[in-house]
Amino acid sequence: MAAVAVVNQTVNNTSPVLQIMSHDTIFNKIQEVLPDCIAADEVKPFLEIFDAKVSEPIKLYVETAVRYYVMQSLSNGNDTDLSKIMAVAKLSTALTRKDVCLPTLPMLVLSDAFDSMTVQQCERLFSFVESNVAVWKEPLFFTPCKNQVLRMCNDVLRRLSRSQNTIFCGRILLFLARFFPFSERSGLNLISEFNLENITTYTSSEVEDGMEVTQGKEEGGDDEVKEISAEKEDSPVKDSKPALDHTLYTKFWALQDFFRNPIQCYQDAPWQMFTTYTNDVLEAFSSFKLEGDNSVAATADKAPQFYTDITVEMQNHDDTIVDALPDVKKIDQYFAKFLTNQRLLELQFSDSNFRRYVLVQLLILCNYLTAVIRFKLETLEEIEKCWVHSTELKVFSLMKETPPDGEQFVEIVKKILRRENLWNDWKNNGCPEIKKPVIHPLVTSNGTVNGKLEGEGAEEEKSSIAKRGKKRKLGDLVREADSRNKFVMANPEMTRLWNICPDNVQATQQKKRNFIPSLEDYFMRAIDQIHSTEEIPTADKLVNDGNFGWRGLRILACRSPHFFTHSTAPIATLPEYLTTMIKKLAKDLPAVQLKLQQQAAAAATKAKQTAKAESKPAAEEEMETQADEAAAVCEPVEDEVEEEDTTEHVELNPITEQQQEALAANIAKNDKYKILTKKLGFKDDEVDYILEQKTGNVQQCIAHFLKLWVENEGDEANQDSITYILEGLKMPEAATGVFE
């Protein structure tokens, strides 16, 4: 496969023995010495194959030979010898340190072994991977192997069942957490995504009496049931408990959807549902009191067989789950998926561990809703935050009342939530690298160094300080400054100036750097000219000034949404466009509206006073005319284009609803209605959606979009505009008889 010439071109200054060795020669020799190396647990026989430095192609030959030996000689189904595979992995690690093979060889050997073994064998072999995590984290292995490690673990996880192999899945995730540093972005979930596929299903119809669950499937909603002769037991304790009916059952399991996707709590309707269901469930928990360890034993007689077996096992164990809870029984109390059959609800309410699962879920959700998270755009209102706070207090109170060791359990949960907030703050700050603080020696004025006098080791302390006082490398200074979100520049003064505001984006947003005038300040004179009752020469109007128009367009692009509003009406000249935009601005600016109203009121008052002073009827009529014209100024809803001295003014109004219906009836007869809607500024998917909502009625669909067009464009959606568009689409007959 590899000729002598290829090896000679790749490796220089090699011995004659290495130069004449081909792939087949190396492959056969490795197959011969590998059993001896495994038995003796040493690499010397392997190294004797080569007499000089191993080149990159030879390392690939070594990798191929070792992987072939593992797959052909060691992987043998259920009879696979795991100890030999571990020995080969150790041997590969040693060969990597001797620079005989590539650093990825140990992980490739383990990955091949995992692919060819059963889940039980993989679980035993993974113990070897866990015990050597310090080796995989060495610089020699970490960088080349990290992607291979992640791929290997993901391949194993895909083969596992989260309900049957829960512990093994957790071991793999813990190993990845130990292997990768905190700053590894792939494991941080920076944008706060949720596992929306974790859906909890439950029955929507009420379970009849006389049915009992025998075995719960993994999905939790399709439980196998069988008929039994059930007898209801009446007791004083049961009479004091709330009725666990189908309504409470539905509300209880509906909360799991909010735990799965908390974002929906920021919507009004889901928030009302969430608060109602939570209050009802907490009220049920408060009424359904637990009686210490006897609560489970009291219901064990009525429980199915699998629940009875768990209860018996719980009574036979005295070990602890955690050191902080010495009285909790150590049994397998974790279930990857809830059992949601309605007949189990009373047993679940009687189980203190199950109650704690749900209450902790609720606390995690409440903590998320009120936490400050960088990528969370929604926030709660004050009244909603008060409800969350009161709910947290209720949950903590219920936890304290839940045996055993309720108060100790509450303290542990609070500590976990505080740590969660610390992690949120760390992510909000960009996940800076976590380092141990540097402790500098204390040198006092009396000559002591770290508390030591002269002659008591102070000289050694001073010498170490002198060594540390040498000029540091620029890379170290930059790295340290970056960890504190600072910058290191060419000299101290530039560093000081640059770090006044290290965030350049924030610096550009300071008020003192905002040189763009507001819309009111820039366009106020032009608005006064447009609404003025006096005649202003055309040359003196600001809208006719080219410099004013160019700056006005720049300011509109920065500050006004009207600049980006799509319009089907053609723009003739810049002064006309500015006049239209200024009139639209006058509607949106309260200060301008108030000023125009005051001017109009003053003009009307003056006109009335002048009319009373004049005694001639002609003069009175003239004054009333002036008052009416002044009153019309305060109504900025009219979006008229100022007429030129030599141009006849024609008032254009938007098309009416009757005209819209008539147009829709005519346009529906033509197949080009989708092209028309596109000209009006609507997309094809919007047209298809509205057409589906109108059950395929094209006329109603076109009428709907014509109405939206008039609402968006205002006076510009007039007869001339729609006629111009129809003529461009060669549909002039659609307007026939509509505007007569």
Side-chain angles (χ1 to χ4, degrees):
M1 293 177 65
V4 177
V6 176
V7 178
N8 289 335
Q9 292 175 3
T10 309
V11 184
N12 297 323
N13 301 326
T14 58
S15 64
V17 177
L18 185 57
Q19 292 179 357
I20 64 175
M21 294 178 66
S22 65
H23 173 271
D24 295 337
T25 303
I26 296 175
F27 183 87
N28 294 330
K29 287 190 176 184
I30 291 177
Q31 300 301 316
E32 295 175 0
V33 301
L34 266 178
D36 298 334
C37 294
I38 294 174
D41 194 15
E42 61 179 2
V43 297
K44 186 176 180 181
F46 201 103
L47 298 177
E48 292 176 353
I49 300 176
F50 312 102
D51 294 337
K53 182 178 179 181
V54 181
S55 63
E56 293 297 322
I58 301 300
K59 291 180 180 179
L60 293 176
Y61 302 163
V62 173
E63 177 182 307
T64 304
V66 174
R67 295 180 66 182
Y68 180 84
Y69 177 81
V70 171
M71 297 303 298
Q72 297 298 324
S73 303
L74 300 183
S75 298
N76 190 20
N78 293 329
D79 299 331
T80 301
D81 191 348
L82 297 180
S83 61
K84 291 185 177 180
I85 294 180
M86 297 178 188
V88 174
K90 290 182 180 179
L91 178 65
S92 303
T93 304
L95 293 177
T96 303
R97 300 185 191 279
K98 297 293 185 180
D99 199 20
V100 178
C101 64
L102 296 176
T104 56
L105 180 57
M107 280 301 157
L108 290 175
V109 169
L110 293 172
S111 180
D112 293 340
F114 280 122
D115 292 339
S116 61
M117 293 189 302
T118 63
V119 173
Q120 292 75 15
Q121 291 173 330
C122 290
E123 190 169 2
R124 293 197 298 270
L125 181 60
F126 194 76
S127 300
F128 170 79
V129 180
E130 289 176 310
S131 60
N132 289 275
V133 64
V135 177
W136 317 134
K137 292 178 68 173
E138 294 179 7
L140 177 63
F141 297 97
F142 180 77
T143 301
C145 294
K146 63 178 183 178
N147 291 333
Q148 184 62 37
V149 171
L150 186 60
R151 188 180 301 111
M152 178 186 69
C153 293
N154 286 334
D155 291 341
V156 177
L157 282 173
R158 277 191 286 269
R159 296 175 54 190
L160 302 180
S161 170
R162 293 192 176 183
S163 59
Q164 301 297 327
N165 309 108
T166 307
I167 297 178
F168 191 16
C169 292
R171 287 173 56 191
I172 295 175
L173 296 177
L174 288 175
F175 166 76
L176 292 175
R178 293 170 57 195
F179 176 71
F180 287 101
F182 286 127
S183 56
E184 182 65 30
R185 296 292 178 115
S186 61
L188 293 179
N189 189 18
L190 290 175
I191 59 177
S192 301
E193 293 180 335
F194 299 96
N195 182 18
L196 301 181
E197 298 179 357
N198 184 23
I199 300 176
T200 301
T201 58
Y202 53 92
T203 56
S204 58
S205 59
E206 187 173 0
V207 179
E208 298 179 359
D209 294 339
M211 305 293 289
E212 182 180 9
V213 176
T214 59
Q215 179 65 37
K217 296 183 180 179
E218 180 177 350
E219 293 299 328
D222 300 326
D223 300 323
E224 181 185 356
V225 298
K226 69 177 183 178
E227 289 286 343
I228 62 171
S229 57
E231 297 181 358
K232 298 183 179 180
E233 299 180 1
D234 298 330
S235 63
V237 177
K238 185 175 181 180
D239 294 338
S240 63
K241 296 178 180 179
L244 302 181
D245 53 5
H246 182 70
T247 302
L248 180 61
Y249 162 81
T250 305
K251 293 180 179 180
F252 178 77
W253 289 115
L255 290 178
Q256 292 297 324
D257 189 61
F258 295 98
F259 301 153
R260 178 184 66 92
N261 185 16
I263 298 297
Q264 58 184 319
C265 292
Y266 293 102
Q267 303 173 8
D268 294 337
W271 171 259
Q272 295 295 333
M273 183 186 300
F274 169 68
T275 54
T276 303
Y277 289 2
T278 302
N279 291 332
D280 293 344
V281 170
L282 293 181
E283 184 65 27
F285 277 147
S286 301
S287 303
F288 204 103
K289 300 294 184 181
L290 299 181
E291 302 173 359
D293 295 339
N294 297 328
S295 59
V296 176
T299 57
D301 296 336
K302 301 182 293 180
Q305 183 62 36
F306 70 91
Y307 196 92
T308 306
D309 295 340
I310 292 178
T311 307
V312 173
E313 184 179 357
M314 188 168 101
Q315 294 173 352
N316 295 332
H317 282 73
D318 293 328
D319 298 331
T320 61
I321 295 178
V322 291
D323 295 337
L325 301 176
D327 296 334
V328 179
K329 310 302 180 184
K330 184 178 181 180
I331 63 172
D332 187 8
Q333 298 172 338
Y334 175 78
F335 298 93
K337 203 72 176 176
F338 287 123
L339 301 178
T340 59
N341 191 277
Q342 185 177 349
R343 291 295 304 237
L344 290 174
L345 188 60
E346 183 175 356
L347 297 175
Q348 291 167 338
F349 267 59
S350 302
D351 189 352
S352 61
N353 292 301
F354 180 84
R355 177 175 296 196
R356 283 174 172 172
Y357 297 156
V358 178
L359 294 179
V360 171
Q361 281 183 305
L362 187 56
L363 282 177
I364 293 174
L365 175 58
C366 292
N367 185 70
Y368 171 80
L369 294 176
T370 56
V372 179
I373 299 177
R374 182 178 180 180
F375 291 94
K376 186 178 68 173
L377 303 179
E378 302 86 352
T379 56
L380 296 178
E381 298 179 357
E382 289 299 327
I383 186 172
E384 296 172 341
K385 291 181 180 179
C386 293
W387 181 89
V388 171
H389 179 67
S390 62
T391 302
E392 288 178 338
L393 297 179
K394 292 180 182 178
V395 173
F396 283 129
S397 177
L398 288 173
M399 282 185 173
K400 290 182 180 180
E401 298 174 358
T402 303
D405 304 302
E407 294 185 358
Q408 297 182 30
F409 185 80
V410 168
E411 295 300 323
I412 293 175
V413 172
K414 287 182 177 180
K415 184 176 181 181
I416 293 174
L417 294 177
R418 287 195 297 268
R419 290 172 62 88
E420 181 67 18
N421 292 330
L422 293 177
W423 282 115
N424 285 334
D425 295 340
W426 179 67
K427 289 184 179 182
N428 293 339
N429 294 329
C431 304
E433 185 178 357
I434 299 176
K435 294 182 178 180
K436 293 183 178 179
V438 180
I439 302 177
H440 297 286
L442 178 61
V443 181
T444 60
S445 58
N446 57 2
T448 60
V449 181
N450 280 349
K452 297 181 180 180
L453 296 174
E454 295 289 345
E456 295 181 1
E459 292 297 335
E460 298 178 0
E461 296 286 346
K462 288 183 178 181
S463 62
S464 63
I465 295 173
K467 292 180 181 179
R468 287 194 296 270
K470 294 181 180 180
K471 185 176 180 180
R472 300 174 62 187
K473 295 181 180 180
L474 180 60
D476 296 337
L477 293 175
V478 173
R479 190 180 301 108
E480 181 181 352
D482 185 66
S483 65
R484 296 184 289 111
N485 294 328
K486 299 293 184 179
F487 292 92
V488 177
M489 307 305 293
N491 55 65
E493 184 61 22
M494 288 184 63
T495 301
R496 184 188 67 82
L497 293 175
W498 196 271
N499 288 292
I500 292 176
C501 187
D503 189 349
N504 290 335
V505 177
Q506 184 180 358
T508 57
Q509 295 176 349
Q510 295 179 358
K511 293 183 179 180
K512 62 182 181 181
R513 296 180 59 89
N514 186 8
F515 306 110
I516 303 176
S518 63
L519 294 174
E520 295 91 337
D521 296 340
Y522 189 80
F523 289 105
M524 183 56 73
R525 287 182 57 198
I527 293 174
D528 293 340
Q529 290 180 354
I530 291 176
H531 293 89
S532 176
T533 56
E534 300 178 358
E535 188 68 23
I536 300 176
T538 304
D540 296 339
K541 294 181 179 180
L542 288 176
V543 293
N544 295 325
D545 186 359
N547 292 330
F548 176 85
W550 182 82
R551 293 186 178 91
L553 292 178
R554 296 290 300 272
I555 294 176
L556 289 173
C558 294
R559 298 189 181 277
S560 175
H562 296 296
F563 184 80
F564 301 98
T565 302
H566 177 72
S567 176
T568 57
I571 299 175
T573 60
L574 178 60
E576 293 180 3
Y577 175 75
L578 283 178
T579 302
T580 303
M581 296 299 293
I582 290 173
K583 290 181 177 181
K584 289 183 178 181
L585 287 177
K587 302 176 185 178
D588 300 337
L589 301 178
V592 176
Q593 286 283 340
L594 181 61
K595 183 177 180 180
L596 293 177
Q597 292 175 3
Q598 292 176 352
Q599 292 178 355
T605 303
K606 183 178 180 181
K608 290 181 179 179
Q609 293 176 355
T610 306
K612 292 180 180 179
E614 297 291 339
S615 58
K616 296 180 180 181
E620 292 179 359
E621 183 178 356
E622 183 179 357
M623 289 300 101
E624 291 179 358
T625 303
Q626 293 180 0
D628 294 338
E629 292 177 353
V633 177
C634 65
E635 299 180 0
V637 294
E638 297 180 2
D639 199 8
E640 303 174 355
V641 178
E642 183 181 358
E643 59 177 344
E644 299 290 340
D645 296 339
T646 60
T647 304
E648 183 180 358
H649 176 74
V650 178
E651 183 177 1
L652 298 176
N653 297 320
I655 58 178
T656 62
E657 293 185 2
Q658 293 79 6
Q659 293 171 347
Q660 296 172 21
E661 295 293 339
L663 282 172
N666 295 338
I667 296 171
K669 301 176 183 178
N670 199 309
D671 296 336
K672 297 182 180 180
Y673 69 92
K674 283 194 174 182
I675 303 178
L676 173 64
T677 55
K678 186 178 295 185
K679 288 290 185 180
L680 296 180
F682 302 101
K683 298 181 180 179
D684 292 340
D685 55 350
E686 296 176 341
V687 177
D688 295 338
Y689 176 77
I690 296 300
L691 188 61
E692 182 180 355
Q693 295 295 321
K694 301 297 183 181
T695 63
N697 192 323
V698 179
Q699 180 177 348
Q700 294 182 4
C701 178
I702 297 173
H704 176 79
F705 283 108
L706 286 174
K707 183 178 180 181
L708 291 179
W709 179 59
V710 172
E711 292 177 355
N712 293 337
E713 300 297 335
D715 292 344
E716 296 180 5
N718 49 49
Q719 174 184 349
D720 291 349
S721 298
I722 192 65
T723 304
Y724 177 80
I725 294 173
L726 292 174
E727 290 176 354
L729 297 177
K730 298 181 179 180
M731 299 169 55
E733 66 279 359
T736 303
V738 176
F739 301 106
E740 295 179 356

